[in-house]
Structures are given as structure tokens and as C-alpha cells.
Amino acid sequence: MAMSLESGAGCGGHHSRAMSLESALEAIRGSVSAVIGNDEISPMEALGRVLAEDIRAPNDVPGHTNSAMDGYAFRHEDCAPTGKAALRIAGDSFAGHPFSGALQAGECVRIMTGAVVPDAADTVVMQEDVVQREGMIELSHMPRKGANIRLAGEDIQAGQAVLSAGRVLRPADLGMIASMGIASLKVRRRVKVAFFSTGDELRPVGEPLLTGQIHDSNRYTLHGMLCQAGMDTCDMGIVKDDPDALRDAFKTASESADVVITSGGVSVGEADYVTDMLAEMGNVSFWQIAMKPGRPLVYGRLGSAVFFGLPGNPVSVMATFMQVVRPALGVISGARYEEPLRFDARTEHAIRKKPGRMEFQRGILRRDGKGGFSVKTTGHQGSGILKSMSEANCFIVLPQDSGTVEAGTWVTVEPFPCV
Ligand code: AMP
Ligand code: MG
């Protein structure tokens, strides 16, 4: 993974101006590359994995023309347009047990859903539309020619390019791969992400708190978001605000992982050592992004690992992860870039904002009863109010230059990913 670490043009030292989210993303995308190495796995294990090769259909799906209904297969021309002619039942075709004979004029075959349609037949009539008597059927409704038949290859044609390298595999893809009979496929190896929290005030869950201490929640949200992103996670626990402890953790993390993510200690406080430590042991690319929440953010390189030092505030961790880290992990995992889904909704109330930073307020998106969507915020938008993320189902994305937005105006929303 080659990465150029410029320190000019607003992405340099500690006190340079904040850069826009857009240029931060561009810089990151241009400086990371996909992991090398594939795994050969079964489609059963492939959910969320990144396809490493194009998949072409080795055969037609379905492989044979079959019935879409329980009913009777027959030749359309054997019946009068009224369907009054009676047809003799020559045999049956069940799923997995095709009719072995040859269909003659004036005959039909009892057929079940998914069963092979005999060569000579071209139409299936639903069993609800026939009267059956003494080995014969009479149609009460004449279907159009070709009705209730699924043609061989109508889902996928042999040779067709079905999925291409870079695809993040979804449940439908797994089934589709299996439907083509493919038992193993090449996916990129998973990206290993080591992460830890920094802060002397942090205690693990299960331990009582002394005055001034808090439970470490960032590792839990990070773990959740990393799992959602299909990462191979390595939880390194809590590290003290202590240069020696940080040095050790940085070393271990960078030796074992492709990506290292920390939270806390990236501001300009007395005990904020993360940026300095990265400068000592690696490279700091930039450290301030004009977004709210989450202005201080360290990006760089630690040995061969890509490094993200996220802010400490719980909402900032989530917002910077989702907006900055997540797209980078996509590139590193070899996934084709996909724009986040964003659309407009009417805000139910005024949203206060000062121009200068792009804001990601936490929103609740809902149907407005008039065929569209409306959105409201989750209330208090402080970067320590993690409940605002829990209650929200979307970000309300307010552009850098925008000021306060009046009730009833259109705002951009970005739904959260599903679990
Ligand atoms: P910092 O960036 O280290 O100054 O932290 C900013 C705020 O986030 C402080 O109020 C911290 O106590 C809080 N914070 C930092 N790390 C965590 C964490 N792992 N879990 C919950 N809150 C945290
Ligand atoms: Mg701290």
C-alpha cells in the first residue's frame, strides 16, 4: 500500500486550517490501496466479502424450462380459443421427476411448480382453471400461449457476466452464485483492523467507576461498525494517556494489522499524545476536518498500517468513522466505490447551524403522509450524547456554508446502514 503524505495545501502540521470533508476523502482515497491476497471460500461463507474475480455464468439458470404453477402442461394449439376441448392426461411431471414420455396431440401432463415442461408443451394452465374428470381435463379459462412457464436461462444465461470483482456480496448474491452451481469463489482476504481507546478516565465495563471515571463505550460502537463493514477486528482494549503505553500499543497494532484505529487524545489538551506519537513513529497527513461532530481527526501511516486517530467524544467517533474511515476501509478491502445513498426530506422544524463546517445532525426520518419523507432531529446534538445516534435512523447532512435551516425546507438525509 503506497501512500504519499503531503504536508502542503492544508493537510500538514498541527495548526493548519481545517480541510473540507470532500478533500479529506479525496486525499485518503488517493493514498490507500486494496489489500493483496485472496481466500477461496464457499458461498455460505461469503456474506459481506469482496469478490476478487468476475463471475460468469457457467450454465443457464434455470437449466430447463419449467412450470411456474401447479397445473397441466399442454400445447396451446390443441385447444380451441374457448378452451372447451378436453385433453387426456398422459402422465405427470413433478419437481425432480420429469415426464418420461412424449406428449401427443390432444394430451396434457399433470405438472407441479418447478417441474420440467415436456418438449412439446408450450403452456401451463393452473389447476384452479380446469375441471378434471376420468383422466381428462377441460379448461374453464384459456391461458395465453406461454403462460405459467419459466424459460430455461430466463434468470441467468450461460456465459453472462453476473457479478464483477469488487462487489461486496449480499444475501441475494450468495443464492445466485449457488444457483449457478458454483461451490467456491475467490474473495479478497479480510482487512485486519486493530483498535483501542485512549484515556486515563476510561474503565472497562464490569468495573466500578471512581469519581471522574467513565466506561469505555467507543470500543463497542467501533467494534459494531467494523463488524458491519466486514472487517477482521482486533480489540486492543484501553491504553493510558501515557507516551510509553501508547508507543507499545502503536507498535503492536501496526505490526499485526492493516489498519489501526484509536479514539481520544487527538485534541490539543495536555494529555493528548496520539498525534505526537504518530509523528514520532509514522507520518501525520492531516488532523482537522471541517465537519461537526468530529473536527480533530488524525490520519496517517504507522509502519505499513493506515492510521486513523478518531476524536474521543462518542458521537464524533461514530460520525468520523461513518464519513471518513468507512469509505477508506472500502478501498482497502478492494470494494468498488459506491456513493452513500442520500436524498432530500423536509425538515419538520428549524435546524440551527453556523456556516463553516459540514454538519451531520442525527435525524429521525419518516413518511410524511403525503408520499414523501420528513425528518426531525433527535434533540440535543452534543457530541457526547450517544443516545442521539441510537435514536436516529439517519444523518441530516448540512453543507459547510449553510446557516440555520427553516422549518419545511428540504434537507439532505443519509440513512444509517442496516445491521
Ligand atoms: P479526548 O478526545 O480524549 O479529549 O476525549 C473527549 C471526550 O470523549 C472526553 O469527555 C472523554 O472522556 C470522552 N471519551 C474519550 N474516550 C472515550 C471512550 N472510549 N468512551 C467514552 N467516552 C470517551
Ligand atoms: Mg482523552
Side-chain angles (χ1 to χ4, degrees):
M1 272 182 270
M3 182 162 86
S4 56
L5 298 161
E6 322 91 51
S7 35
C11 20
H14 279 39
H15 302 284
S16 57
R17 261 184 323 119
M19 74 195 298
S20 72
L21 176 59
E22 209 177 308
S23 15
L25 284 172
E26 208 171 294
I28 292 173
R29 257 187 247 123
S31 61
V32 295
S33 51
V35 289
I36 311 282
N38 298 333
D39 293 329
E40 191 108 22
I41 59 169
S42 128
M44 201 58 105
E45 304 164 304
L47 184 66
R49 300 295 298 267
V50 178
L51 202 55
E53 57 184 359
D54 296 344
I55 293 187
R56 276 186 183 280
N59 41 46
D60 279 347
V61 180
H64 55 257
T65 297
N66 67 94
S67 179
M69 289 286 176
D70 294 337
Y72 298 85
F74 66 104
R75 245 179 2 198
H76 201 262
E77 65 181 38
D78 287 354
C79 279
T82 56
K84 279 303 169 212
L87 299 169
R88 194 182 77 79
I89 304 171
D92 42 41
S93 180
F94 289 176
H97 304 279
F99 173 65
S100 53
L103 196 69
Q104 306 298 323
E107 288 182 344
C108 68
V109 158
R110 172 88 175 115
I111 195 165
M112 297 297 150
T113 304
V116 178
V117 173
D119 283 342
D122 56 21
T123 306
V124 168
V125 58
M126 292 165 65
Q127 63 187 26
E128 290 82 347
D129 289 341
V130 307
V131 180
Q132 190 209 320
R133 200 180 304 118
E134 291 163 9
M136 306 286 288
I137 60 164
E138 202 168 285
L139 283 62
S140 57
H141 163 78
M142 182 63 178
R144 62 168 176 80
K145 185 175 176 179
N148 304 317
I149 284 194
R150 304 165 177 161
L151 296 174
E154 79 171 21
D155 186 355
I156 301 167
Q157 279 164 13
Q160 188 184 343
V162 181
L163 294 166
S164 53
R167 169 84 171 188
V168 181
L169 295 168
R170 308 190 313 206
D173 302 333
L174 309 191
M176 199 165 65
I177 289 165
S179 77
M180 295 182 281
I182 297 171
S184 89
L185 55 148
K186 276 203 185 80
V187 295
R188 295 261 190 180
R189 75 166 176 83
R190 271 155 76 140
V191 175
K192 189 162 179 194
V193 182
F195 62 106
F196 55 89
S197 298
T198 71
D200 284 352
E201 76 282 31
L202 303 176
R203 288 250 102 32
V205 295
E207 288 187 14
L209 300 179
L210 302 176
T211 308
Q213 295 182 331
I214 58 170
H215 283 123
D216 169 17
S217 61
N218 288 345
R219 256 182 324 123
Y220 290 82
T221 47
L222 272 174
H223 169 77
M225 293 186 293
L226 288 167
C227 290
Q228 249 180 359
M231 299 295 119
D232 181 5
T233 59
C234 173
D235 172 10
M236 292 182 56
I238 299 169
V239 177
K240 291 272 179 220
D241 290 319
D242 166 66
D244 291 334
L246 273 179
R247 198 174 286 114
D248 282 353
F250 272 36
K251 186 163 183 295
T252 312
S254 65
E255 283 168 0
S256 64
D258 303 299
V259 179
V260 178
I261 302 176
T262 65
S263 73
V266 293
S267 304
V268 287
E270 293 290 316
D272 292 331
Y273 298 116
V274 169
T275 314
D276 289 342
M277 195 52 66
L278 187 65
E280 178 193 312
M281 298 178 67
N283 289 289
V284 181
S285 239
F286 56 77
W287 78 298
Q288 293 219 74
I289 297 183
M291 65 181 279
K292 185 181 176 185
R295 175 157 35 194
L297 186 145
V298 174
Y299 168 66
R301 172 75 56 150
L302 184 60
S304 61
V306 174
F307 183 96
F308 292 97
L310 306 185
N313 280 308
V315 181
S316 308
V317 167
M318 295 200 74
T320 50
F321 182 93
M322 291 163 82
Q323 295 303 324
V324 182
V325 181
R326 184 70 183 76
L329 293 178
V331 177
I332 296 169
S333 62
R336 235 189 347 265
Y337 178 69
E338 276 186 44
E339 286 280 336
L341 172 66
R342 286 181 181 169
F343 54 91
D344 291 346
R346 271 188 203 283
T347 175
E348 294 174 26
H349 52 74
I351 303 175
R352 285 180 50 202
K353 180 186 180 298
K354 282 193 236 140
R357 284 202 268 169
M358 190 173 184
E359 282 198 26
F360 294 90
Q361 299 213 6
R362 275 69 70 204
I364 298 172
L365 183 65
R366 54 185 180 182
R367 304 292 298 267
D368 65 3
K370 292 178 265 175
F373 285 98
S374 70
V375 69
K376 60 176 182 174
T377 66
T378 52
H380 187 15
Q381 297 288 307
S383 58
I385 310 293
L386 191 50
K387 183 152 56 68
S388 73
M389 280 299 294
S390 176
E391 287 173 354
N393 59 12
C394 70
F395 279 128
I396 302 171
V397 185
L398 302 166
Q400 193 159 335
D401 299 334
S402 145
T404 291
V405 179
E406 296 310 321
T409 50
W410 293 100
V411 291
T412 301
V413 295
E414 179 183 321
F416 288 165
C418 306
V419 174

